[in-house]
Every structure is written in structure tokens, then in C-alpha cells.
Amino acid sequence: MKKIIISSLAASLLLFSYSCDTDFENDVNDVAVTSGSADFSKYVALGNSLTSGYRDNALYIDGQNESYPAIIAAQMKIAGGGEFKQPLMANNIGGFTNLFNPATGAFAGKYVLSVVNGSLSPAPTAPGGALDIITAGGPYQNMGIPGAKSFHLGAAGYGNAAGLSAGLSNPYFVRFASSGTTSVIQDAAAQAPTFFSLWIGNNDVLSYATSGGMGTDQTGNMNPATYGSNDITDPGVFASVINSYVTALTANGAKGVIANIPNVTTIPYFTRVPAKPLAGLSATQIAQLNGGYAQYNAGLLQAKNLGAINDAEYQSRLISFTTTGSNGAIIVDKDLTNLTGFGIPSYRQTTSEDLILLTASAVLNPTVGGGTSVPLEDRFVLTKKETAKAIAATTAYNAALKSIADSKGLAFVDANAKMAQLAQQSGISFNGVKYTATFVTGGTFSLDGVHLTGRGAALIGNEFIKAINNKFGSNLPMANVNSYSGVTFP
Amino acid sequence: MKKVLISTALLAGVLTQAGAFRVSLQGVKQLAMAHTSAHAGDASVAFFNPAGMSFIPAKLSVAAGGFGAITNVTYQNPTTMQSFDTDNPIGTPFYAAVAYKVMDNVSVGFSFTTPYGSTIQWPEDWEGREIVQKLALKAMYFQPMVSVKLAPWASVGASYIYATGSVDWDKGLTLYNGTLNIKDEKAKGHGFGLGFYFQPDDKWDVSIAYRSPVNMKAENGVASFNVTPALYPLIGIDAAGQDNFKATLPLVEEYTIGATFKVTPKWKLSADMNYVGWEKYDRLTLDFENAPIGNQADPTVLTNIKDFHNTRNFRVGTEYMFTTKIAGRLGWYYDESPYEDGNFIPETPSFDAHAITGGIGLKFGSLGVDLAAAKTFPKSRVFNNQNINFAGQAKANSFYFGLGVNYNIN
């Protein structure tokens, strides 16, 4: 009996070890990570602030360490990737003391959150140090240059210290440019990258949008030398420069990945402040405001009756505050018919189709007249008309980027689609955490409302990795998004 | 009469045990035989079936025992190629029971058990820390009971269940760069048990038992937020960083039918079928007083979808008396996980599992000492839980051992 029991137990144990599937089919510890048909031994990343790791309105060490190319490079390392050196700032604050402009806030230190009157608000800090030249430590593989537009990457002298005061060069490139006459592309090609990423072009339309549409849409003007800093780049210029960069970078057989540009309407800088921001006005305030604008409305009617404006414009310019729901803010809209001859300013109230900029939150204050008796300046609002220009340019740029990627055999990242997904209420989830584009608490956008946090960078970095794996047959692991940093709370 | 009772019980649906945060460790002798239930040798039968007390061959019987439960779960994410092992503390469920024949046909008894309890502890940096970092669940059942012999071969028994328990749950709050602890140490609930026990002849023992659901109500739960105080007003919590919550955790009903057949006077075979009503655990709702960290229209209500389903478990065990003093025991059972792959939750990971059990029993006059051990073979899972946006693969292993004593006095 004993024997039967023991032998049947032994038999059962054997059976279980074969039939129970208690182990993983593929243990991740045994999976070999390979580069596929790509070679990651020298990866160079080109782009603008998004590539550099810029966040909280500054370039600083923590942000650089969590830049999306740094995240990608760490995964590439497992598949034979080489060193990925970044032009780290001298401090963890950012900004440049010698270039700091207190009036505009240019080159201030990073934004930090503090509690003001019981609520959290971001504010800039003093710059951390003077511009440091670190060319000697180079070459650097992260060549993301904050502020760069598409055509800047090919511009000779973009890293010339002597050109800084005239605004001809970029301090972030001045830090590590190999010479005063080189260009970003030239320095990149000199490193003979085996793999590159290129995510450029956001600023070709973003600076127009963040200025509230103060620039000019240069579509049709093929000479970028004549562009102002807030202008929209001509899509033909855009396509031609990108094409030339990719040609230069692939000349030695390098493979790479390029990403398209998100619509400005998906980022918190444009979505944080509601289009109809004035809620909770008292009946007295409303009566006073309507009284105050009665003369303006009467003037409009006169102008319409004289044929100076049509009825549609007349209706859109009428100002009326109501007790039901939120009210639009009064804005100056330069695209309205100029009625100054009648003594009528170019005012109207915002509708759900206008985007009020994050920067307006500081001045939107009915009790002192901001947005009510004192209209918001043009620079605080991206109107429907301006938004349409930005989106048209973005669409054209993205079409060019896609066709260049396809024609050169590059992996392609639809960053626009990913950002749009993030802007949805459902967001993007990663192992139990729901990320959205909501300002501060969404987890993905830093305090400037434009640039990504470490977690946001990891989310987008994973999109690059997916695209690379798909195109080149590599199996780079995804980054664990939750392990990167988000917004720092006080 | 005999036939009617048995078939009624069968038709009624019928049978008990296992899965998820359920730990089926209540009798060392029983565990050695795959945790089968039709054994009326001592007071440890009380938890399984109060009616079994009538057939304990003693006027007074006392039984007590304890277990060690070693479990380990591994999670791996094939996209990030990271894997994480739990670091669970050893579980120590225990039981004590007493049964006393006040009259020839009436027995009273009391059973104390820890039928639910588990602690799962994941590493600090693991990918699913937003869902669970650590979860400790405990329940204690206090069961007074009575059993009446309806005939020399049949008895009926009933028990009242008073349950107390605690929940202690740590999870990440990634978006706030913090953590959250959810705790209630005074959850309460009550239920009842009902059973029939038969010894139609010398060879057979038949046990039919039902244990009702117990809704453990946490009325005074405290949610402690470990986040920067600057966020307290934003989250709507008090100056101590705390909020209150209410929740109800269902401990589900079980039906068990078991039988033991004496092949020879020395050799017993036992079998059980259990049916567990996990379906009641379709969601766990935490209702916070102020904190808007929920996921419902009312932002203070957090609903976690569980979607458990009822399970059937099969158990087979045997005992052989090598001498009058030494018994050897073996068993095999199959436990079904109460949820599908798509509902895998790392706070109470569960797997379809085969298990092998074994043990020995020693008799020193009225005193019995039992040793038992069990090893499970959980089937690994590939899952993508869309409710919590958590995907990957999981595997587990567990080992149980126990030491029990019983004392029968006539």
C-alpha cells in the first residue's frame, strides 16, 4: 500500500510539472534584446526644446536626464547602443544670468509651484548661472536646441556667441557648437551617427500660437531670413529643409526616426483657461458691464447701418454679459474690421472657439477689470481665425514629414495623434495610472503647459520605441512611464 | 428519509472553498487529505460542518492548529521586459474548536478560525504600484454552534457566525507623487452555517454544509494620504492628511458536499466538491467622505470592478493507518480561480491551481498530533485588465504546512 501511494504521488508530481504551465512561456529575463536591422551604436537626437529635455520653462539637469531621447538611448543600450552624452546644464535651475531679461522673463530659471492664496501657482525662479561653454566636453548626442525652428538646424552661425546679442544665434547651441560657423546638422553629421531621431518644426507654428497670433503667416514667402520670430514658416521651406537634413543624416546609411507635430490645441498652454472664463459675476457687476458697453453696442449698430460691417460681424462683436452660465472675456481682435474712424475699438467677447492662453490667467480678474472692463490684449488669445492658420500649417508640415519618412525609409511617430489622445478625458493609461493633458494634475505636462514632464517624455519615448521596433525589427523594451518624475509639488 | 435529504441537498446547488483572498486552511488533518470535509474524528470538523459534531467519538473534543503559508507571485511585463516578485510575509492562519455532547443527541460547540486573510507585498518600485503596493486582509470567525442527532445515522447542525476583520491597503498616488493608505481595523459582519452529516453505515461518512455570505462592513475607514500638505485642499482632506471612507467587502457563501468511504478498516478515501459564490464580488466600492479620488459621477466614489464568478473545486484525499498509532495521508485538489484573465488584479492575485497534499497523524491515547503540508501548482496567466489598464503575465507558487493537536475525552 505504501508503495502504491508513494509511486502515485511521484507520478502525479511529474505529471503536474509537465501539464500545469506554471511557468511563463517566455521569461523576460531570458529574452535577448536585439537591434534588428538598425544599428544603435551611435544615436544622435536632433530637435528643439522637446528633444533637449526642456521643461518648466527652462533647461535644467533633471529635465535633461529625463529627455525622451535619453529614455530611448537607455533602452538602446540593452541592444548594443553606445554612450548618449547630453550637454547638461551647469545647474538644476536653468536660465542664464547674463541673458536674463526681467521684463520679458526670458532665460529665467525653471518654474516652481508654490501656494498662493490657498491655490497652487507656478512662478519663475532666478536664473541658475551664466551661459557656460562646454564644447570641450563634446560631441554631444542630444542635439535638441530649445527655441529652434526647422530652418535653424541648417543655419550656419546658429551657435556663434558673437551673434547672441543680435538674436542671430541660439545660446543653447552656443554652449556646445564646435565652431562659430557650424550648423546643428553639420555637427550632427560630423559624428557619423548610425541612428538618428528628428523631431523638429513645433516652433515653426508654436511661437505664432504662444504669442497669441502676433506674428505673420509667411506661407508663400520662401525666404526665412525675412521671418519674424513669431511667424508661421512656409510649408515649402519647411519640407525642403527637413528633406535636406534627412539627406545629410542618411548619407552614410544611417537609419532613423522622425515624428510629426502636435496641434497646438492639444496642449494645456491653450486649454487650461476655459474659452468662457468669467464665471460667478454678480448681478450688479453684470448690470454695470452691460451699461458700460451699451455705447459700444450702439456704435456698432450705427456702423452696421452705415454698411461698415455686415450683420454677421455686428452680431459677433455685440457685448452682452448674462447671469446664465459663464461669460466670454472681452478681447482685442486685430482681425475685426477697423472701426477706429467711428471711434469704435476692435472688441468682442470670446466664444467657445477661441483659445485663451495660459499666460492670461494672471490678468484675467474681473474685480480689477481684466477680461471685462479692461479687454485682454491680442497676445493673450488665439482666436478661431488664428488657430485655423496654425492648424493649416501644422497639417501641411505633418504631410511633408510623413512623406519624407516614407521616402527615406525612416520610422515615423504620429506624435500628433498621441497628444490628441492625451488631451481626451480618457487620456493614456500606463499600469493603473491615467495620464491626461490636464495642467498640473494630468501628470504629463510641466508647469509651462507646453513641455513634457519625465512621465510625458517616457510616454512619447515609448511611441518612438514602438515605431523603431516596427520599422527595423528590433525589440527594444518600453520604458516604465510611472517610474519617471512628474510635476514637483511644493 | 435518507435519500430525500441527500437529493434535496444535491439539487439545492451545493458545495465549498478557495481562491483569491480565501485561505482554506482550517484543519491540519483535513489539509493533509486535500482539505476534504467528511471527517468527524475530532472538533476540527466544526468549521466544516456543525452537524459533524454529533459524530465525534467523544463527549468532549478539543482541536487546535496553525499553519504557515508561503506564497510568492511574479509579475512580468513583456513590453518593458521588467519582472517583479512579491515579498509576502509568511501567512499564519490558525483555528481552535471545541465540541461537547450535552446530551446523547445534542452537541454544542464553538469554532474560532481565520478563514480569510492574505498579505500581498509588492516591491516599492514595481510597475503596478498605483493599484497596490501592499494589501493585508484579515477576518476572524467566531462560531457558536449546535448539532442535533435526528437518527443514529443522521444529524443536523447550525452555527451563527460573528466576523471581525481588517483591511490595510497601501497604493501609489502617482499623479500626486505620493501614496495612499486605506485602513479599517474594525470591519464587522455576521452570517450563519448549516449542515447535515450522515453515517448511513460503517463504511460511509457524508457531509453537506452551507456557509452563508458575510458582508464585512467597514464603517469607519480612514484614508491617509502621504502627499505634500500643499495638496490637502486640492484633494479635500483634513489638516492631518486624512479622509474617511466606507466600504463593504463580501465574504462569499460556500456549499460543500463531501464523502468518506472506508475501503478497509485501515484505509479511507475522501472526496469533496465545493461551490463558492464569488459572483457577489462584482465590485468593491470605496465611498470617501470628501476626497475626489474616485472614478464615478460622484468623484468621491471609487469603484473597482472585480467581476468574479462562482467557482467549483474538486478534492480527493486518502488516509491509511500504518499502525493504530500512525496514519499517513495524501491528497490532490483543484482550485479554480474566481476570475478570468481579463479581470486579473494584483491585490488578490489568483490562479487555477492543482495541489498535492500530504501529512501524518500520530495518536498518543486521547491526544492526537497531526502534521500536514501542501504544494500548489498555479497555472501562469497572461492578462490585460482593461478596467485598471494593467497588462502582463503572472505566475505564482505556494507551500503550506501545518501542525494540529486534538484531544478527545469520553
Side-chain angles (χ1 to χ4, degrees):
Chain A
M1 187 66 230
K2 204 196 292 188
K3 272 186 189 157
I4 295 172
I5 291 172
I6 291 171
S7 55
S8 58
L9 175 62
S12 320
L13 278 172
L14 263 176
L15 195 69
F16 287 133
S17 52
Y18 281 107
S19 70
C20 283
D21 304 327
T22 56
D23 226 327
F24 294 133
E25 204 169 317
N26 289 305
D27 195 302
V28 294
N29 297 308
D30 302 332
V31 175
V33 178
T34 62
S35 62
S37 60
D39 173 358
F40 302 132
S41 59
K42 174 76 83 179
Y43 163 46
V44 173
L46 296 118
N48 49 39
S49 49
L50 287 166
T51 299
S52 69
Y54 188 100
R55 69 184 189 198
D56 300 322
N57 207 37
L59 188 68
Y60 62 98
I61 294 170
D62 283 354
Q64 291 179 292
N65 283 333
E66 293 187 329
S67 67
Y68 78 83
I71 292 168
I72 298 170
Q75 307 301 73
M76 285 178 170
K77 210 158 200 173
I78 311 170
E83 192 192 9
F84 187 78
K85 205 189 281 182
Q86 303 199 88
L88 293 181
M89 294 284 283
N91 55 69
N92 216 2
I93 294 162
F96 297 116
T97 45
N98 51 330
L99 301 176
F100 176 54
N101 180 342
T104 65
F107 301 109
K110 68 181 174 188
Y111 284 174
V112 293
L113 268 184
S114 55
V115 183
V116 178
N117 297 329
S119 67
L120 292 168
S121 58
T125 52
L131 192 146
D132 51 337
I133 303 294
I134 56 168
T135 310
Y140 299 95
Q141 284 76 52
N142 186 338
M143 301 192 70
I145 313 292
K149 296 190 179 196
S150 61
F151 51 85
H152 286 143
L153 296 190
Y158 194 54
N160 186 354
L164 276 177
S165 54
L168 298 171
S169 57
N170 183 313
Y172 295 101
F173 188 43
V174 165
R175 293 179 68 229
F176 64 90
S178 66
S179 75
T181 54
T182 190
S183 70
V184 176
I185 286 293
Q186 201 180 322
D187 272 7
Q191 294 192 50
T194 60
F195 197 90
F196 69 91
S197 65
L198 178 65
W199 192 16
I200 190 76
N202 309 65
N203 291 324
D204 294 66
V205 62
L206 187 66
S207 55
Y208 171 82
T210 54
S211 71
M214 295 289 277
T216 307
D217 183 354
Q218 296 285 5
T219 300
N221 176 359
M222 297 296 280
N223 182 8
T226 61
Y227 294 179
S229 62
N230 294 332
D231 292 355
I232 293 177
T233 306
D234 173 77
V237 169
F238 182 91
S240 127
V241 294
I242 301 277
N243 199 47
S244 72
Y245 303 157
V246 172
T247 304
L249 290 164
T250 53
N252 65 349
K255 296 191 161 62
V257 54
I258 63 179
N260 68 4
I261 297 162
N263 276 339
V264 294
T265 53
T266 60
I267 62 178
Y269 194 84
F270 300 98
T271 58
R272 164 68 168 175
V273 180
K276 292 187 172 183
L278 303 171
L281 296 180
S282 70
T284 320
Q285 276 177 305
I286 286 169
Q288 278 174 350
L289 285 166
N290 284 334
Y293 284 104
Q295 202 189 341
Y296 171 80
N297 287 341
L300 281 180
L301 182 61
Q302 251 182 341
K304 185 186 100 166
N305 290 340
L306 290 169
I309 53 173
N310 61 21
D311 184 59
E313 180 165 357
Y314 166 69
Q315 298 291 347
S316 78
R317 293 180 70 158
L318 277 178
I319 289 172
S320 155
F321 287 87
T322 69
T323 47
T324 52
S326 301
N327 288 288
I330 308 295
I331 60 167
V332 179
D333 183 351
K334 64 175 181 305
D335 288 324
L336 295 172
T337 305
N338 187 343
L339 299 177
T340 46
F342 296 85
I344 301 172
S346 291
Y347 293 171
R348 69 177 174 87
Q349 256 175 309
T350 50
T351 73
S352 59
E353 293 173 315
D354 296 307
L355 299 173
I356 301 181
L357 275 45
L358 184 60
T359 42
S361 47
V363 294
L364 259 177
N365 184 350
T367 56
V368 295
T372 52
S373 56
V374 180
L376 293 183
E377 293 168 54
D378 191 22
R379 65 189 170 102
F380 290 122
V381 184
L382 196 65
T383 63
K384 182 190 175 188
K385 238 179 187 167
E386 292 164 341
T387 305
K389 286 181 190 170
I391 289 180
T394 306
T395 307
Y397 299 164
N398 286 350
L401 288 167
K402 175 76 173 121
S403 93
I404 292 168
D406 290 348
S407 68
K408 304 279 184 181
L410 302 176
F412 181 74
V413 179
D414 191 350
N416 185 22
K418 207 64 191 170
M419 293 293 193
Q421 202 184 338
L422 210 50
Q424 304 278 311
Q425 198 166 5
S426 50
I428 297 174
S429 290
F430 188 89
N431 278 346
V433 185
K434 187 178 106 175
Y435 292 106
T436 64
T438 305
F439 191 55
V440 179
T441 53
T444 48
F445 280 89
S446 72
L447 298 174
D448 57 35
V450 174
H451 299 96
L452 300 167
T453 59
R455 289 172 188 147
L459 274 175
I460 210 73
N462 279 347
E463 293 307 305
F464 275 77
I465 292 171
K466 277 183 217 166
I468 293 167
N469 286 345
N470 278 340
K471 186 75 188 180
F472 303 114
S474 50
N475 63 338
L476 300 175
M478 301 296 139
N480 176 5
V481 176
N482 298 352
S483 69
Y484 292 87
S485 69
V487 170
T488 305
F489 295 105
Chain B
M1 178 67 202
K2 197 197 294 188
K3 273 185 188 159
V4 173
L5 270 179
I6 293 174
S7 51
T8 309
L10 281 171
L11 282 174
V14 203
L15 321 180
T16 329
Q17 227 97 324
F21 49 92
R22 178 85 168 83
V23 185
S24 32
L25 297 172
Q26 277 90 28
V28 173
K29 196 183 285 178
Q30 285 85 347
L31 173 65
M33 297 175 70
H35 224 251
T36 48
S37 63
H39 310 288
D42 61 57
S44 62
V45 72
F47 176 82
F48 296 86
N49 185 349
M53 290 193 302
S54 290
F55 289 96
I56 297 170
K59 190 163 174 65
L60 172 71
S61 178
V62 183
F67 299 88
I70 300 163
T71 59
N72 183 49
V73 183
T74 303
Y75 163 78
Q76 72 170 20
N77 183 340
T79 63
T80 61
M81 296 192 201
Q82 294 187 323
S83 75
F84 305 91
D85 284 315
T86 56
D87 185 20
N88 303 331
I90 182 165
T92 55
F94 59 99
Y95 66 94
V98 56
Y100 180 68
K101 282 195 174 57
V102 284
M103 283 184 274
D104 276 351
N105 59 350
V106 179
S107 299
V108 294
F110 185 82
S111 157
F112 170 78
T113 51
T114 55
Y116 290 79
S118 67
T119 299
I120 190 118
Q121 167 91 58
W122 290 95
E124 275 291 302
D125 61 340
W126 95 288
E127 285 185 21
R129 61 192 306 274
E130 185 80 0
I131 306 160
V132 61
Q133 181 68 63
K134 180 185 175 187
L135 175 65
L137 287 168
K138 283 191 189 73
M140 289 185 282
Y141 274 21
F142 302 87
Q143 277 177 274
M145 57 186 70
V146 61
S147 173
V148 176
K149 239 182 186 169
L150 302 168
W153 52 270
S155 65
V156 60
S159 69
Y160 163 72
I161 300 170
Y162 173 73
T164 66
S166 65
V167 55
D168 187 354
W169 185 1
D170 287 326
K171 52 190 264 170
L173 277 181
T174 304
L175 294 180
Y176 297 113
N177 291 336
T179 56
L180 171 63
N181 174 265
I182 289 170
K183 193 185 240 177
D184 191 314
E185 291 177 315
K186 286 178 183 156
K188 279 194 259 309
H190 52 87
F192 65 93
L194 205 60
F196 297 98
Y197 202 95
F198 309 102
Q199 281 184 347
D201 56 41
D202 289 352
K203 289 185 180 298
W204 286 94
D205 274 49
V206 175
S207 169
I208 296 167
Y210 169 75
R211 194 174 303 109
S212 78
V214 174
N215 283 321
M216 294 294 281
K217 292 199 164 123
E219 298 282 349
N220 301 300
V222 176
S224 306
F225 292 78
N226 178 19
V227 297
T228 170
L231 286 173
Y232 290 179
L234 198 72
I235 310 178
I237 52 181
D238 66 21
Q242 293 185 329
D243 192 22
N244 295 321
F245 75 93
K246 286 183 172 45
T248 299
L249 179 69
L251 306 182
V252 299
E253 63 191 341
E254 298 179 28
Y255 300 86
T256 307
I257 183 164
T260 293
F261 177 66
K262 287 194 186 70
V263 184
T264 72
K266 288 181 168 182
W267 185 22
K268 278 200 249 182
L269 288 176
S270 290
D272 263 34
M273 285 205 291
N274 311 115
Y275 187 77
V276 188
W278 282 114
E279 211 169 86
K280 288 216 164 57
Y281 198 42
D282 63 337
R283 59 193 57 225
L284 176 63
T285 299
L286 299 171
D287 187 354
F288 294 92
E289 213 162 276
N290 298 309
I293 55 167
N295 53 8
Q296 301 297 300
D298 174 352
T300 65
V301 175
L302 178 69
T303 295
N304 299 283
I305 309 252
K306 302 294 181 187
D307 273 344
F308 280 30
H309 57 66
N310 295 342
T311 60
R312 275 169 214 85
N313 307 296
F314 301 93
R315 296 154 187 280
V316 184
T318 186
E319 177 188 271
Y320 188 77
M321 298 297 297
F322 295 110
T323 71
T324 53
K325 292 194 161 116
I326 303 174
R329 299 178 183 121
L330 278 177
W332 162 89
Y333 65 78
Y334 180 72
D335 267 359
E336 196 187 344
S337 167
Y339 51 73
E340 303 296 323
D341 290 343
N343 289 312
F344 184 90
I345 41 176
E347 65 268 36
T348 52
S350 170
F351 306 82
D352 291 339
H354 291 277
I356 303 269
T357 67
I360 54 168
L362 304 169
K363 266 199 172 158
F364 308 96
S366 312
L367 177 72
V369 176
D370 297 297
L371 295 166
K375 168 99 181 94
T376 66
F377 300 88
K379 191 169 186 287
S380 66
R381 307 189 83 147
V382 177
F383 59 87
N384 181 6
N385 187 334
Q386 314 244 349
N387 296 320
I388 51 174
N389 292 298
F390 182 60
Q393 300 171 359
K395 65 174 181 177
N397 59 64
S398 58
F399 182 75
Y400 308 122
F401 56 92
L403 168 68
V405 294
N406 58 77
Y407 198 71
N408 285 355
I409 310 164
N410 272 306

